[in-house]
Amino acid sequence: RDSLYGFVFEKYDNWKFGKVDNEDPAKPRATRCILTQKSVAVPTEYLENKDKFNVPAIGFFVDTSEMPLEAYAADLADRKSKRPSRKELTKDFSILGKGSFIDQGPITIDGQRAIAQHYRQDYEVQLYNRLKDQYSIKEDVMLGDLYLTKRGNTVYVIHLTCERAIYRTVNEEAKTIIMSVDFDPPVEDRSPPDSAEGADSGASGQ
């Protein structure tokens, strides 16, 4: 259960809570928690360069805004936007600043009207081949998804970043986690199995 907003979600054992900066009680961090995949299916060409392969990650970001959901989504898709919270989100969802917006569509999360956005970032990476003892440049693609919904003036943004080579498999797990979000669980439901109970410690950096 998130310590400030109270939402919970179910997660796979194959995902772990990542570290989020220590939270200042007077100014809660907008990024509530980060999940990273444990056992990553690294493509063959990256086996000798695992540090160059981006680990799939899911982030939970919460903002306050009077903007309608559609306007908020449009602002995120606009790379010219100077809104501070967009800049803050880019710290953990870098594709928002470096990539390109592809498209979006309506979905539902926990009975709430929501929007799903899709992004793409083309990049080059230098890989080392030990057998040939030489480096080569590989062109690759990072994909990113944003799921946005709003309750009152509270905006929830859930994001996924993943290399295109393993996106299909990772996305199946990620969407299950994202679609399991419960924004208003019973108060007595303090520690559901494999839920976002760890988001509390994740957000606090414990």
Side-chain angles (χ1 to χ4, degrees):
R1 176 184 289 268
D2 183 81
S3 60
L4 182 60
Y5 297 98
F7 64 85
V8 298
F9 56 85
E10 303 295 323
K11 77 173 184 65
Y12 283 88
D13 290 338
N14 191 34
W15 293 76
K16 64 181 180 180
F17 287 101
K19 181 176 176 56
V20 176
D21 293 340
N22 289 331
E23 184 175 306
D24 178 357
K27 189 177 181 181
R29 177 86 192 276
T31 294
R32 303 308 301 163
C33 70
I34 297 289
L35 294 177
T36 56
Q37 195 175 44
K38 295 179 183 178
S39 302
V40 182
V42 179
T44 303
E45 59 267 38
Y46 281 93
L47 290 179
E48 292 184 313
N49 303 266
K50 291 183 179 180
D51 60 318
K52 301 291 183 66
F53 192 73
N54 295 289
V55 176
I58 300 172
F60 291 78
F61 181 93
V62 182
D63 191 16
T64 300
S65 175
E66 295 183 357
M67 298 171 66
L69 181 63
E70 290 76 10
Y72 191 98
D75 182 83
L76 288 183
D78 182 6
R79 292 185 62 176
K80 296 180 180 179
S81 171
K82 303 296 183 182
R83 198 162 49 83
S85 58
R86 185 185 189 279
K87 183 178 180 180
E88 180 69 18
L89 175 59
T90 304
K91 292 179 181 179
D92 295 307
F93 189 66
S94 61
I95 196 172
L96 199 60
K98 300 177 181 178
S100 302
F101 171 77
I102 301 175
D103 59 26
Q104 71 178 40
I107 58 168
T108 300
I109 301 177
D110 190 28
Q112 297 283 132
R113 184 170 61 87
I115 295 173
Q117 295 185 332
H118 306 289
Y119 293 80
R120 171 191 175 118
Q121 178 187 341
D122 296 87
Y123 68 96
E124 293 183 345
V125 60
Q126 182 175 262
L127 302 179
Y128 176 67
N129 186 308
R130 185 179 303 175
L131 184 62
K132 296 181 180 180
D133 190 26
Q134 66 182 31
Y135 288 91
S136 62
I137 300 298
K138 175 179 173 56
E139 296 182 348
D140 218 329
V141 177
M142 176 77 75
L143 298 178
D145 297 333
L146 279 183
Y147 298 85
L148 306 88
T149 191
K150 193 176 183 197
R151 290 164 60 89
N153 286 335
T154 302
V155 183
Y156 297 86
V157 183
I158 308 172
H159 53 85
L160 164 69
T161 51
C162 179
E163 295 278 4
R164 181 176 61 178
I166 60 173
Y167 176 82
R168 186 181 300 248
T169 301
V170 171
N171 186 50
E172 290 181 5
E173 289 188 359
K175 285 196 72 173
T176 300
I177 293 172
I178 293 167
M179 293 303 168
S180 74
V181 172
D182 186 343
F183 294 110
D184 192 24
V187 175
E188 65 273 13
D189 187 13
R190 292 293 180 181
S191 56
D194 293 328
S195 74
E197 178 191 13
D200 186 5
S201 59
S204 302
Q206 296 178 359

